[in-house]
Amino acid sequence: MSDQLRPRASLRTAVVWEVLKDALDRQVKAAGRDALDVLDTGGGTGNFAVPAARLGHRVTVVDPSPNALFALKRRAAEAGVADRVRGVQGDILGLFDVVERGGFDAVLCHGVLEYVDDPAEGVRNAVAALRSSGALSLLAAGLGGAVLARALAGHFTEARQALTDPAGRWGEGDPVPRRFTAEQLTELVSGAGLEVGAVHGVRVFADLVPGVLVDTEPGAMEALLKLEAAVAELPAFHSVATQLHVLGEKRP
């Protein structure tokens, strides 16, 4: 079964994958080529790289973890796409030490900006890796989702701390160094010279619903997936999403 169709994986990736797949399809038509060159920064073990390679695209994954890259290589081989997936050790702030500028039709930057010292530089590097036309898929932790989650868990002081902290952190024990609002992410994308194509809220409800309910109630998983898809584009729900996805497009 493909990664994006595995039940648990679907809750985390389904909305983003559908947006990304549509963007890749548009790039195929615009470029006049069946196979695109895709860069996945921080792509880890290939949650998006392997499905993209299954579509026929050539994917370069840049990740700082040698263990993740080893798992990526094995995963790509098991999926029969080892010839279309290349792993390179590096990070987005030193991106052009390991890949060429302007060499890609699409760049994925998922779960990266939360951990870099300069998110704006990270986005600029991602954009600089694009060809004269291309798409940037940006996924990052949402501020509102963390505030809501801490409040529902009864940690009201931590919820307020996340709300007022410049980095959106709820305390010293918070494992996420930085969170964003939809406005902050779109400003980063537009500030780097891209046109913002779409904004989606990801995991609006998935992280709040008890796992036992999803696992045991007949039809619950499918219904939850449909609900997530239905609210993803609605701005009212962006402020409470666990993650935010922004699609930026570079016009020739």
Side-chain angles (χ1 to χ4, degrees), residues 92 95-96 101 118-130 136 188 191-193:
I92 198 165
L95 189 60
F96 301 114
R101 290 178 181 269
D118 189 342
E121 182 183 352
V123 175
R124 287 194 297 269
N125 283 353
V127 172
L130 289 171
L136 169 65
L188 286 173

Side-chain angles (χ1 to χ4, degrees), residues 53-101:
R54 282 200 191 101
L55 296 177
H57 304 306
R58 297 176 293 269
V59 187
T60 298
V61 176
V62 174
D63 196 279
S65 168
N67 291 337
L69 293 174
F70 178 79
L72 167 71
K73 185 176 181 179
R74 182 177 59 203
R75 188 175 190 173
E78 290 173 351
V81 295
D83 60 329
R84 294 196 292 273
V85 177
R86 179 173 73 107
V88 182
Q89 189 171 2
D91 61 56
I92 198 165
L93 296 187
L95 189 60
F96 301 114
D97 293 335
V98 294
V99 301
E100 63 176 310
R101 290 178 181 269

